[in-house]
Amino acid sequence: MTEMMSGVENAEDSKPEMGLDGLDEQLVEQLLNRAKARGLKLTGEGGVLQQLTKRLLESALDGEIADHLGYDKHDPAGRGTGNSRNGTRSKTVLTDVGPVQVDVPRDRDASFEPKIVAKRQKRLTGVDEMVISLAAKGLTTGEISAHLAEVYGAEVSRQTISTITDKVIEGMVEWQNRPLDAVYPVIFIDAIHVKIRDGKVANRPIYVALAVTCEGRRDILGLWVGDGGEGAKYWLHVLTELKNRGVADVLMVVCDGLTGLSDAITTVWPQTITQTCVVHLLRNVRREAPVISIGGGRPSTLGRRSGSVKLRAA
């Protein structure tokens, strides 16, 4: 593998044409051919991707410590500066291509703080994103651990997976409780029903509040998971929470025609205008007027109830 990598490094001097994606196509092809000729695997433990990842990480770390010390390796400019390189320490980090052993450089006064592979860091960010994605798809910690072991050959404990997902939950809680603006021109509120696994899969309402700020930007104020069906009583709890987070006044709240919802809005913000959503308004009209004829033309069926209403153009 070392000979193969050296051959690729020497080939850089030829300066072949770059591909559209910015990669050196000739070097990539040469690397693949050398790997096949030596019977090396591209993926898996000891594969080419792991070796390349190791080289890239260590090169980046060398650049970091050179920037920290102010001179390159073996540069005479570093003499008498008071700090210098002090060997390396090996650590294994979990990456998208599996576990990779990396030699992290050190300095004599221990002031070097690497960013690419930070101290006590055992996973690169891509692994955390992978775990979060699998958890979002409904996999348990055991299933995620088995998946990583089977696909990437990486042993990740259930506790580590729980730690990763808990960080996301902490961030969500912080976002959910963040302070809000004192005034919003418009707030849209509605509930959507999604399937949620909580012991068993069931339909649960997700209450959504989306606002338009005074600067004209859209801002999701929060998401709340309800217990049963959508109800005005729970909406009163949601709107009260928004007020407690700093929303003192709202010009208009756009919502559906849920019974009691208008009263809940007035209870929290007495001067706020309650506007029925146009989509919900059309749905209500459709239920009451299933057949509509405009200008005496042929009626079009909009619903399944009996009866008809004719609307003629002026």
Side-chain angles (χ1 to χ4, degrees):
M1 182 67 194
T2 303
E3 295 178 358
M4 182 183 67
M5 295 300 298
S6 299
V8 174
E9 291 172 352
N10 293 334
E12 293 179 352
D13 298 334
S14 60
K15 297 182 180 180
E17 295 183 358
M18 303 294 289
L20 295 177
D21 55 1
L23 293 176
D24 193 325
E25 296 180 357
Q26 183 175 340
L27 288 177
V28 173
E29 184 177 358
Q30 184 177 358
L31 177 61
L32 292 175
N33 291 336
R34 286 175 177 266
K36 292 178 181 179
R38 288 167 172 76
L40 297 174
K41 299 182 297 181
L42 294 179
T43 59
E45 185 176 359
V48 175
L49 289 179
Q50 279 191 347
Q51 296 293 331
L52 283 175
T53 302
K54 173 181 173 66
R55 283 294 188 94
L56 289 173
L57 290 176
E58 290 179 349
S59 296
L61 289 169
D62 286 340
E64 280 194 85
I65 195 170
D67 182 67
H68 172 71
L69 296 175
Y71 61 92
D72 293 329
K73 195 173 184 179
H74 307 305
D75 191 338
R79 295 174 182 175
T81 58
N83 193 15
S84 60
R85 290 171 173 79
N86 189 27
T88 61
R89 57 183 177 86
S90 296
K91 65 182 297 183
T92 300
V93 293
L94 183 59
T95 70
D96 293 346
V97 296
V100 175
Q101 185 175 355
V102 182
D103 293 330
V104 182
R106 301 181 299 181
D107 60 343
R108 293 196 177 279
D109 62 7
S111 59
F112 175 53
E113 296 285 345
K115 300 296 189 298
I116 300 295
V117 182
K119 291 181 178 179
R120 294 177 293 277
Q121 182 180 1
K122 297 181 179 179
R123 304 178 309 275
L124 298 188
T125 55
V127 176
D128 288 6
E129 295 172 357
M130 188 188 312
V131 170
I132 293 169
S133 176
L134 293 174
K137 290 179 171 61
L139 273 67
T140 64
T141 55
E143 291 171 339
I144 295 174
S145 178
H147 174 79
L148 294 177
E150 179 181 356
V151 177
Y152 299 98
E155 297 295 334
V156 183
S157 65
R158 296 186 179 185
Q159 181 59 43
T160 300
I161 295 172
S162 297
T163 302
I164 296 173
T165 54
D166 287 346
K167 289 181 180 179
V168 177
I169 295 175
E170 292 174 2
M172 291 176 60
V173 172
E174 182 180 355
W175 173 82
Q176 186 75 21
N177 296 314
R178 75 193 189 280
L180 301 175
D181 295 346
V183 178
Y184 286 101
V186 183
I187 291 181
F188 299 86
I189 59 174
D190 201 0
I192 56 176
H193 289 78
V194 299
K195 294 185 181 297
I196 296 178
R197 175 183 292 180
D198 187 10
K200 62 179 181 179
V201 178
N203 284 327
R204 301 273 293 277
I206 305 295
Y207 294 81
V208 183
L210 185 148
V212 177
T213 67
C214 294
E215 294 77 20
R217 296 181 292 101
R218 289 177 293 181
D219 185 13
I220 297 179
L221 305 183
L223 301 169
W224 298 263
V225 181
D227 296 329
E230 181 183 6
K233 183 177 180 180
Y234 195 90
W235 270 121
L236 178 60
H237 162 74
V238 169
L239 298 177
T240 302
E241 180 180 324
L242 293 178
K243 185 175 182 179
N244 293 336
R245 289 167 57 193
V247 183
D249 194 14
V250 179
L251 176 62
M252 179 187 299
V253 174
V254 181
C255 59
D256 59 16
L258 184 66
T259 303
L261 182 53
S262 178
D263 294 336
I265 296 171
T266 304
T267 301
V268 179
W269 299 299
Q271 303 300 320
T272 298
I273 300 173
T274 302
Q275 173 65 51
T276 303
C277 172
V278 175
V279 174
H280 290 92
L281 183 62
L282 291 176
R283 289 176 181 173
N284 294 336
V285 172
R286 176 179 176 178
R287 284 195 294 266
E288 299 301 328
V291 179
I292 296 179
S293 175
I294 300 178
R298 183 178 179 181
S300 60
T301 302
L302 298 179
R304 291 177 291 184
R305 293 186 179 183
S306 60
S308 64
V309 176
K310 291 186 177 180
L311 304 177
R312 297 186 180 274

